[in-house]
Amino acid sequence: MISSFELTDAHEEHRETVRQFCEDEVEPHIEEYEESGTFPMDVVETVADAGFHGVQYGTEYDGLGLDYRSYAITIEELSRSWKLLAGTASVAGSLVGYPIHEFGEEWQREEWLTEICSGEWIPALSLTEPNAGSDAGSLETTATRDGDEYVLEGEKVWTTNGSIADFLVVGVQTDEGVSLIGVPEPAERDGLEFVRDIPCMEGETAVETEIRYDGVRVPAENVIGEPGRGLRYVLEGLDIGRIGTAAQGVGVAQGAFEESTAFADEREQFGQPIREFQGVSFKLADMAIEIEASRLLTLAAAAKRDRDERVTAEAAMAKTKATDVAMDVTTEAVQVHGSRGYSKDYSLERRMRVAKGMQIYEGTNEINRVVVANQLYE
Ligand SMILES: Cc1cc2nc3c(=O)[nH]c(=O)nc-3n(C[C@H](O)[C@H](O)[C@H](O)COP(=O)(O)OP(=O)(O)OC[C@H]3O[C@@H](n4cnc5c(N)ncnc54)[C@H](O)[C@@H]3O)c2cc1C
């Protein structure tokens, strides 16, 4: 498996555009929201208005009409500033947007994807259940056909942005097997209850919802693609989602690295900047090496997808590497900062907390290693 890829001037310019956007529109707001523990809806809307929820989708659906490398760069740069925004953009562009774009009806693309790319709708994927996590094929939530409707019954957990979503894609068991159903305006639906937002390590700004579906009626035409093919659609969407999660890992690590190099230059102990101690400088060197390796894997996977090829193994490799690196780099960044790294006055402890989540979502890193292992003998 030898990968190659190229970045054009347009990709570098796009990176500069997103980075500048983050400095102007995102970074001034992070502290306020993290302190108050509220979801930053107005910042998310600004991100979506800039087109970053639909980077690789066509302008006819209000996307930016760029490629998967641009998508990865966008997510990395958002994550370098604030992972929360990168996660929301990644779900829109991959787990929800991709199945609609690739397998949905044209009316679904026009009505649903356009609302998602334009940022009118915050979307969410409602797949994981109390008894179906890594084993996503064993879903217990059912959708029973009743005339021209489906009736949904079941319980979901960890639906990111669930209770604030304008649109859910729900994984269900139908007579044909696992299917995906689009549920617009979930808060308005009889029988749909947002049970609670799960308190989690990412903090109060993150919205991770438990949802109960108790006789929720949805038009039968809201099935995405063919009934019974939902698991395949999810897995293909995950290929893109894992490129996005890898990019989140690169961005979080890059931000922690930059803060660490600046700090190690300024902070003096024993009469010299701490970067002059080999014990510190080798940590910084290892961070640089590992981040660059992660970025290359991520962009190589995105570039292969730009050539219209399946990237199941490449995306799993990039996701596993980049999120493990994010965990290692943020942990070492806290260490380089000493007691300051442990305080909430700096971003490092937040970066370390979100890195842990990345090793779990979009398939745990154990499951991603299973995916890679399964490809070794093909
Ligand atoms: C922050 C966050 C956001 C999330 N967002 C969403 C979302 O938007 N939508 C959604 O539907 N879900 C979401 N999830 C859920 C996520 O996809 C699941 O947590 C994940 O798939 C693992 O499932 P589980 O938690 O039930 O763990 P389990 O599947 O119970 O796994 C427990 C442990 O066993 C290991 N394990 C399981 N099977 C194997 C195996 N075959 N080989 C080796 N090890 C194995 C796992 O790696 C893990 O360490 C999110 C989770 C988190 C933490």
Side-chain angles (χ1 to χ4, degrees):
M1 185 183 299
I2 298 171
S3 304
S4 65
F5 71 91
E6 184 189 358
L7 291 186
T8 63
D9 289 347
H11 290 117
E12 299 300 350
E13 279 162 28
H14 183 67
R15 184 184 291 282
E16 277 312 306
T17 303
V18 184
R19 186 168 288 199
Q20 192 62 52
F21 170 89
C22 287
E23 281 172 15
D24 296 342
E25 308 288 344
V26 171
E27 288 171 13
H29 304 290
I30 299 174
E31 206 178 305
E32 169 198 340
Y33 280 102
E34 286 290 341
E35 269 177 22
S36 67
T38 42
F39 184 82
M41 190 58 91
D42 57 343
V43 188
V44 169
E45 282 168 4
T46 313
V47 171
D49 284 346
F52 299 154
H53 283 195
V55 173
Q56 74 275 34
Y57 299 122
T59 48
E60 67 273 31
Y61 306 119
D62 267 356
L64 289 184
L66 300 177
D67 55 20
Y68 283 96
R69 279 162 290 173
S70 305
Y71 160 73
I73 288 167
T74 306
I75 301 297
E76 181 193 327
E77 289 301 323
L78 288 172
S79 189
R80 175 179 168 271
S81 293
W82 200 4
K83 197 287 298 184
L84 190 78
L85 305 179
T88 298
S90 187
V91 168
S94 62
L95 299 179
V96 175
Y98 186 87
I100 299 170
H101 186 263
E102 297 296 313
F103 310 111
E105 302 279 342
E106 185 53 32
W107 73 264
Q108 294 173 341
R109 280 190 281 277
E110 282 170 12
E111 286 184 24
W112 296 349
L113 190 60
T114 304
E115 296 286 352
I116 292 165
C117 292
S118 68
E120 287 299 312
W121 283 358
I122 301 291
L125 176 72
S126 198
L127 185 72
T128 304
E129 301 178 354
N131 295 323
S134 298
D135 185 7
S138 67
L139 299 179
E140 293 170 357
T141 297
T142 54
T144 310
R145 188 77 188 240
D146 182 19
D148 57 4
E149 292 181 320
Y150 278 101
V151 184
L152 276 56
E153 299 279 349
E155 202 179 323
K156 298 287 184 180
V157 292
W158 291 101
T159 301
T160 298
N161 294 340
S163 62
I164 54 166
D166 304 290
F167 180 75
L168 298 173
V169 168
V170 188
V172 291
Q173 293 286 357
T174 57
D175 286 345
E176 300 85 353
V178 173
S179 303
L180 296 182
I181 296 191
V183 182
E185 299 179 329
E188 310 298 317
R189 304 239 162 211
D190 288 343
L192 194 153
E193 183 192 350
F194 299 124
V195 180
R196 66 165 185 152
D197 289 333
I198 303 165
C200 72
M201 209 189 254
E202 189 165 342
E204 299 292 302
T205 46
V207 177
E208 305 293 347
T209 311
E210 287 180 7
I211 307 179
R212 187 169 298 125
Y213 299 84
D214 186 7
V216 178
R217 290 185 166 269
V218 182
E221 63 176 7
N222 284 17
V223 170
I224 296 168
E226 288 175 45
R229 308 270 285 168
L231 197 56
R232 193 196 129 203
Y233 303 156
V234 166
L235 293 177
E236 274 202 40
L238 274 171
D239 289 349
I240 310 306
R242 285 170 183 161
I243 293 174
T245 307
Q248 289 170 44
V250 177
V252 162
Q254 178 68 31
F257 168 69
E258 288 175 28
E259 290 196 31
S260 299
T261 49
F263 181 81
D265 197 31
E266 285 159 19
R267 175 71 177 164
E268 292 191 3
Q269 287 292 278
F270 301 98
Q272 63 188 64
I274 59 168
R275 74 175 164 79
E276 291 179 10
F277 298 116
Q278 194 181 62
V280 173
S281 68
F282 275 17
K283 284 192 203 304
L284 299 176
D286 282 340
M287 288 182 192
I289 294 165
E290 292 296 302
I291 293 168
E292 192 61 8
S294 303
R295 182 178 291 116
L296 292 174
L297 274 181
T298 305
L299 289 171
K304 190 171 180 191
R305 189 61 188 75
D306 281 329
R307 296 193 295 272
D308 249 347
E309 295 175 52
R310 279 299 296 272
V311 291
T312 303
E314 291 81 358
M317 284 182 188
K319 191 271 182 186
T320 307
K321 175 72 179 173
T323 60
D324 282 352
V325 164
M327 193 71 241
D328 291 346
V329 165
T330 54
T331 305
E332 290 295 55
V334 168
Q335 194 70 17
V336 167
H337 282 73
S339 57
R340 291 164 181 79
Y342 199 65
S343 84
K344 286 186 184 278
D345 293 338
Y346 291 73
S347 78
L348 290 321
E349 61 82 34
R350 170 167 50 82
R351 291 181 187 277
M352 193 174 158
R353 285 186 279 112
V354 301
K356 180 36 83 182
M358 293 178 204
Q359 291 180 305
I360 297 171
Y361 58 74
E362 308 254 355
T364 64
N365 284 2
E366 290 76 26
I367 290 299
N368 275 279
R369 285 182 168 89
V370 171
V371 172
V372 174
N374 286 343
Q375 302 270 328
L376 295 180
Y377 299 99
E378 288 199 345

